[in-house]
Amino acid sequence: MENDQNLLKNLFIRINPPGQSKSSFVWNYFGYLYKKPNEPLDVQRVYCKLCFDKLKNDQPDIALSLVRNELSVYKSTSGTGNMKNHLLAVHQVTGVQETKTTSKHILSMFSREKYVTKASQLKQQLGHQLTLMCCRDLLPFSIVENEGFQDFLIANRVVGSKDDIPSRTILSPINLNKIHDVCVQKTKEQLKLSSEYPTITCDGWCDKYRHRSYICFTVHYLDSDLKLHQYSLKTEPFEGRHTGEAIKDYFLAVVSEFNLNPSNIIVVSDKGSNMKKAWKLLKVMHTFCVAHGIHNLLMTDCFPKLNIVPDLLDKIQTIINKLRYRQQELEEEYYRLNDQMYYNLLSEINKAGEILDADSISSYIDVDDLNELNENEENNGLTIPVVTNDSSVFHTLKKRILTRWNTILIMLRSYASNTTCVENLLRRMKHFDLILPAAENQIVNDLIEFLSSFESTTTILSASKSYTTMNLYLLLRMETESILRITGMESLVIREVKTLLSASLDKRFPVDPLHICAFLLDPSQLKIDIDRYLPLNQPSKQSILFNMIEKFKINHAVPVSMTKNIPTSPSSSAASSKATSLSPLLKRHLSIEYLNTPTGSLKKIRENLIQKHTPSPVVSSDPIADEIEDYLKLDVSCDDVLQFWRSSKDTFPHLKRLSQVILAIPATSTPSEKVFSITGLIVNAKRTMLSPENIGKIQVIHDNYDLLKNV
């Protein structure tokens, strides 16, 4: 079915109720996908004929596999409710009516459709859409009470009067609860497409206004088409003590609600003692967030143990606290200095132009003038960064957050970008003791350069919604090792930093078989030497992949042999036995009278003897072992690892299924962190009275908005 030769122009939808007689009108629009009469390509799903025909008319020569996500597809055994919602929302089709799909202005979302005959129906539809809009854009439900918004709806003829606008209480809790229920149901339907081993991330958070605790769960999986999915499952108040037992109970409640098998779930979380205990109690497969590991590597194992850095950071924090209230003055100083530098630059350019003009006449450059030009350039510090766009942008001073290493980096950058301005203001304020000497300013620049490499690693590994990240884990561990390698060119402070980080790298950035397996499932990385990371009990790449296939029960067959074509030397007794059991034909060939035969026959006798006494190779009868061997011999380069496995599913079927499990695992618990970033925007100073339950519902609807667009 995934054959790229399946062009849309060669396919069609046959309207034929699946299996049994169906009375619902939706079966007039949904049917199986066919390439030839009486030969369905897919009997597991039904397709919307209206969507398919429109796409076929627009792009007849495109392969089905490239536009599958644009089609509306449902399991043939599922209920008709979602199909009805699709027909109504996308095609405006009810049980007795249908209209063509057209491109409409956004206001049509609120407009009175032909099938809406009552004002109450319009008000209900409008309330539904406004609730969804508020959840997606994190707007207060009280927007419907704002005079400007009401006038907008009336002026654009969305409603006739203010009485037609649904009230705030209609949006929440009535519509909010309904939409959340639909969101949960649609998420459950999507999870039916997941592999048997989805991944869940988990984290906890406390809001800064009411100091209420929350716990959240997100799910990640690759479907059979190797498309990456990520959804928020639940964000809810975390009441009581935050123990491992409590986390276990919340986890079991969530997986039960979404019909997931807890024993088949892979968990990604931080290394908090309560988290570790919860996963131990649950006996689930788990891996720890590498972003938290890098954070602890820097904040626990490095910074506190350095001699000068903690004092330097505190000093910069004091400087920023002194100057933050003089932000405007600092900004004016910044632009004044840059204007002067630009003026000096232009002066030197003009001077250089005059020298070049003179050169065109005299054919030589006056050495004194050239030396003066070079000296002025050095005195004015005219370097390339001065003329870049960044030099004209004032960088606001940022405070340090004591528990975040990356905010330390932001603070150092903001200070370094304004060093001259900061020093000038400190002199005016008579805070000479706060002016950093040149040596400390150099340490600041060295730390910025060094920490930026960790920022890159964290950013790459945290982009779990954009691309797979677990396959990059080991590669970035290797890059981190190269960064920490002492070259002799670094400063003493950076050398000390590298030494401290190297000592704790295995603890904070560990490598286990799961990471190695993910690395190997990226074919572009197969030629990289990773022997030093292989565990003693699994000393080969083949054994890593084979054991992972067994672990996830991709094939229950017990391997006959993981070794191929390895001859075994027979014992002397075995050789003697074979020599005495010659066939009658071979005995005849060895008789004395036969020695008078031509030389060609004697060569044949020799070949027969060699073959007779050469042990046969042990041929592997395990297709998985053969598949792994063939895969590890590949020498390919691919930009999209998921596309590789889509196109290789017939060549490497077991490894493709393994990649569906392993590559779906995010290397960090960043998705849960992002959940709380959104929750922090919902719980602002003007919305502190929102109930914790409604906060969780808004967040889930916001994150899973794509599932609700056409509801």
Side-chain angles (χ1 to χ4, degrees):
M1 173 146 188
E2 295 298 323
N3 190 342
D4 284 346
Q5 297 302 315
N6 289 332
L7 304 181
L8 292 188
K9 65 182 180 182
N10 299 326
L11 307 176
F12 65 94
I13 302 295
R14 170 171 288 183
I15 301 300
N16 184 18
Q20 56 186 359
S21 176
K22 303 278 186 177
S23 59
S24 175
F25 77 93
V26 303
W27 300 114
N28 296 323
Y29 302 96
F30 282 86
Y32 291 139
L33 182 64
Y34 280 75
K35 187 171 184 179
K36 295 179 181 179
N38 301 321
E39 186 180 323
L41 287 181
D42 188 359
V43 296
Q44 302 297 323
R45 291 168 284 236
V46 289
Y47 294 71
C48 174
K49 191 174 189 302
L50 297 177
C51 291
F52 182 86
D53 289 347
K54 183 179 185 303
L55 197 58
K56 181 176 178 180
N57 291 334
D58 294 340
Q59 306 179 71
D61 296 319
I62 195 168
L64 173 66
S65 60
L66 299 178
V67 294
R68 182 182 304 280
N69 294 332
E70 300 179 34
L71 297 172
S72 298
V73 186
Y74 300 87
K75 286 188 176 181
S76 58
T77 57
S78 63
T80 60
N82 290 326
M83 301 181 206
K84 290 180 182 178
N85 290 337
H86 168 77
L87 291 173
L88 177 61
V90 177
H91 307 293
Q92 290 77 54
V93 172
T94 63
V96 295
Q97 293 178 302
E98 71 171 273
T99 60
K100 294 182 178 180
T101 304
T102 57
S103 299
K104 298 185 178 183
H105 189 274
I106 190 171
L107 288 175
S108 65
M109 180 175 71
F110 303 108
S111 63
R112 187 188 301 268
E113 302 290 350
K114 293 180 181 179
Y115 62 85
V116 180
T117 58
K118 297 181 180 179
S120 59
Q121 290 177 300
L122 173 63
K123 191 171 184 178
Q124 183 179 6
Q125 180 189 7
L126 183 60
H128 172 91
Q129 297 291 352
L130 286 174
T131 305
L132 195 57
M133 179 188 75
C134 289
C135 292
R136 176 57 189 171
D137 296 337
L138 306 181
L139 298 172
F141 297 117
S142 59
I143 190 174
V144 294
E145 299 173 353
N146 295 348
E147 184 178 1
F149 182 73
Q150 293 176 345
D151 291 343
F152 166 81
L153 296 181
I154 295 171
N156 288 278
R157 300 181 181 178
V158 177
V159 296
S161 67
K162 294 183 179 181
D163 293 335
D164 296 330
I165 301 174
S167 68
R168 176 180 180 176
T169 55
I170 292 295
L171 270 59
S172 176
I174 296 176
N175 281 338
L176 177 63
N177 291 337
K178 290 180 180 178
I179 293 175
H180 180 261
D181 291 343
V182 172
C183 183
V184 170
Q185 185 60 38
K186 283 189 168 289
T187 304
K188 290 180 181 179
E189 292 177 7
Q190 290 296 317
L191 288 174
K192 293 177 182 178
L193 305 176
S194 73
S195 68
E196 294 182 21
Y197 297 89
T199 298
I200 284 181
T201 74
C202 175
D203 205 355
W205 175 77
C206 180
D207 79 79
K208 66 179 181 180
Y209 294 101
R210 302 292 294 273
H211 303 291
R212 290 180 295 210
S213 297
Y214 296 83
I215 189 170
C216 77
F217 301 90
T218 69
V219 66
H220 310 259
Y221 66 88
L222 286 165
D223 61 22
S224 58
D225 296 325
L226 277 297
K227 179 183 176 183
L228 191 60
H229 294 260
Q230 172 181 319
Y231 303 106
S232 286
L233 295 181
K234 181 78 73 172
T235 298
E236 58 184 336
F238 193 175
E239 299 175 349
R241 297 180 60 198
H242 298 180
T243 62
E245 289 81 0
I247 294 174
K248 180 199 73 171
D249 293 340
Y250 277 103
F251 177 87
L252 290 175
V254 169
V255 297
S256 174
E257 180 179 356
F258 288 90
N259 304 318
L260 298 173
N261 183 354
S263 61
N264 283 3
I265 289 175
I266 305 165
V267 177
V268 180
S269 72
D270 61 38
K271 278 191 174 182
S273 58
N274 54 352
M275 290 288 181
K276 290 194 288 187
K277 184 172 183 180
W279 315 139
K280 184 177 181 179
L281 291 171
L282 288 163
K283 298 180 181 180
V284 297
M285 292 174 280
H286 67 275
T287 181
F288 294 115
C289 169
V290 68
H292 282 86
I294 292 175
H295 170 77
N296 290 328
L297 187 67
L298 292 164
M299 294 299 295
T300 304
D301 303 328
C302 180
F303 287 155
K305 299 178 182 179
L306 294 170
N307 295 325
I308 188 173
V309 172
D311 293 337
L312 178 60
L313 295 177
D314 290 340
K315 195 171 183 180
I316 294 176
Q317 179 73 64
T318 303
I319 291 172
I320 292 176
N321 288 336
K322 293 285 185 183
L323 297 182
R324 281 177 67 84
Y325 71 95
R326 305 180 71 134
Q327 196 76 7
Q328 183 176 355
E329 186 179 353
L330 188 66
E331 185 174 357
E332 291 172 355
E333 180 70 14
Y334 177 87
Y335 286 113
R336 185 189 69 78
L337 287 172
N338 274 289
D339 287 344
Q340 182 63 42
M341 295 177 76
Y342 278 118
Y343 174 77
N344 293 337
L345 177 63
L346 293 174
S347 298
E348 301 307 331
I349 290 174
N350 290 333
K351 186 177 293 185
E354 293 173 0
I355 294 174
L356 292 175
D357 290 341
D359 179 51
S360 65
I361 299 174
S362 61
S363 74
Y364 71 92
I365 298 178
D366 186 272
V367 176
D368 293 335
D369 288 339
L370 184 58
N371 290 337
E372 182 182 357
L373 174 61
N374 292 335
E375 184 179 353
N376 286 335
E377 286 181 334
E378 293 176 0
N379 291 339
N380 292 324
L382 298 176
T383 57
I384 294 298
V386 173
V387 294
T388 62
N389 291 333
D390 287 341
S391 64
S392 62
V393 178
F394 172 70
H395 297 272
T396 304
L397 291 178
K398 301 293 183 182
K399 297 178 70 173
R400 169 191 176 192
I401 300 177
L402 297 176
T403 59
R404 301 282 183 176
W405 76 267
N406 49 354
T407 57
I408 290 178
L409 175 58
I410 293 172
M411 180 187 74
L412 294 177
R413 282 176 176 162
S414 70
Y415 168 81
S417 299
N418 302 283
T419 302
T420 305
C421 313
V422 167
E423 290 177 354
N424 287 345
L425 259 65
L426 290 175
R427 289 189 184 95
R428 294 180 197 171
M429 299 168 65
K430 309 299 183 183
H431 288 301
F432 300 106
D433 57 314
L434 293 179
I435 299 176
L436 300 185
E440 291 185 347
N441 279 323
Q442 184 58 49
I443 293 174
V444 169
N445 292 325
D446 290 343
L447 285 172
I448 290 172
E449 181 180 359
F450 180 76
L451 292 177
S452 295
S453 61
F454 287 93
E455 181 186 43
S456 301
T457 299
T458 305
T459 301
I460 291 170
L461 290 177
S462 298
S464 54
K465 198 168 186 176
S466 304
Y467 51 82
T468 60
T469 56
M470 189 56 79
N471 54 305
L472 302 175
Y473 181 100
L474 182 54
L475 186 64
L476 290 170
R477 159 68 191 251
M478 297 166 68
E479 175 62 17
T480 301
E481 289 177 4
S482 68
I483 293 170
L484 297 181
R485 194 172 296 121
I486 295 176
T487 63
M489 303 296 292
E490 58 275 287
S491 66
L492 292 176
V493 171
I494 297 302
R495 185 178 304 178
E496 187 178 359
V497 169
K498 288 183 176 181
T499 301
L500 290 170
L501 295 181
S502 297
S504 300
L505 188 60
D506 288 337
K507 176 183 177 182
R508 303 299 187 182
F509 206 149
V511 177
D512 59 35
L514 179 67
H515 304 129
I516 298 173
C517 178
F519 178 90
L520 294 174
L521 289 173
D522 187 338
S524 298
Q525 303 175 158
L526 288 177
K527 298 302 178 183
I528 299 177
D529 181 15
I530 60 168
D531 288 347
R532 65 186 183 276
Y533 298 108
L534 296 176
L536 294 177
N537 61 336
Q538 298 181 43
S540 70
K541 299 175 183 178
Q542 291 90 336
S543 61
I544 292 283
L545 292 173
F546 193 89
N547 289 336
M548 281 294 172
I549 287 175
E550 286 293 299
K551 180 175 183 176
F552 292 105
K553 302 176 183 177
I554 291 173
N555 192 306
H556 296 281
V558 178
V560 175
S561 173
M562 276 298 294
T563 308
K564 295 179 19 176
N565 301 324
I566 301 178
T568 57
S569 299
S571 64
S572 59
S573 61
S576 174
S577 174
K578 289 183 179 180
T580 59
S581 59
L582 299 177
S583 67
L585 178 62
L586 189 57
K587 287 180 179 179
R588 184 174 64 84
H589 284 175
L590 293 175
S591 63
I592 295 177
E593 61 269 22
Y594 199 76
L595 294 178
N596 295 323
T597 56
T599 305
S601 297
L602 293 176
K603 289 182 177 179
K604 184 66 176 177
I605 293 174
R606 176 178 175 273
E607 291 175 0
N608 288 338
L609 284 172
I610 292 174
Q611 184 176 3
K612 180 76 176 178
H613 292 278
T614 300
S616 301
V618 178
V619 179
S620 170
S621 60
D622 183 9
I624 300 179
D626 294 337
E627 181 181 327
I628 292 173
E629 286 285 352
D630 292 340
Y631 170 71
L632 291 176
K633 293 176 183 176
L634 290 180
D635 185 5
V636 298
S637 176
C638 65
D639 296 329
D640 187 341
V641 63
L642 295 183
Q643 182 57 42
F644 169 83
W645 288 111
R646 290 187 194 103
S647 61
S648 303
K649 67 173 189 176
D650 294 329
T651 310
F652 308 112
H654 299 91
L655 291 174
K656 181 262 182 181
R657 290 180 60 194
L658 180 63
S659 67
Q660 188 180 354
V661 174
I662 300 296
L663 296 182
I665 305 172
T668 73
S669 58
T670 300
S672 294
E673 298 279 354
K674 291 179 178 178
V675 164
F676 292 131
S677 294
I678 296 300
T679 311
L681 296 175
I682 297 172
V683 187
N684 56 44
K686 294 184 178 180
R687 304 186 77 182
T688 57
M689 297 305 294
L690 271 174
S691 70
E693 291 76 16
N694 284 350
I695 290 171
K697 291 175 181 178
I698 293 170
Q699 182 276 317
V700 168
I701 293 170
H702 172 277
D703 280 12
N704 300 344
Y705 177 74
D706 287 344
L707 297 177
L708 300 163
K709 280 185 177 180
N710 298 323
V711 176

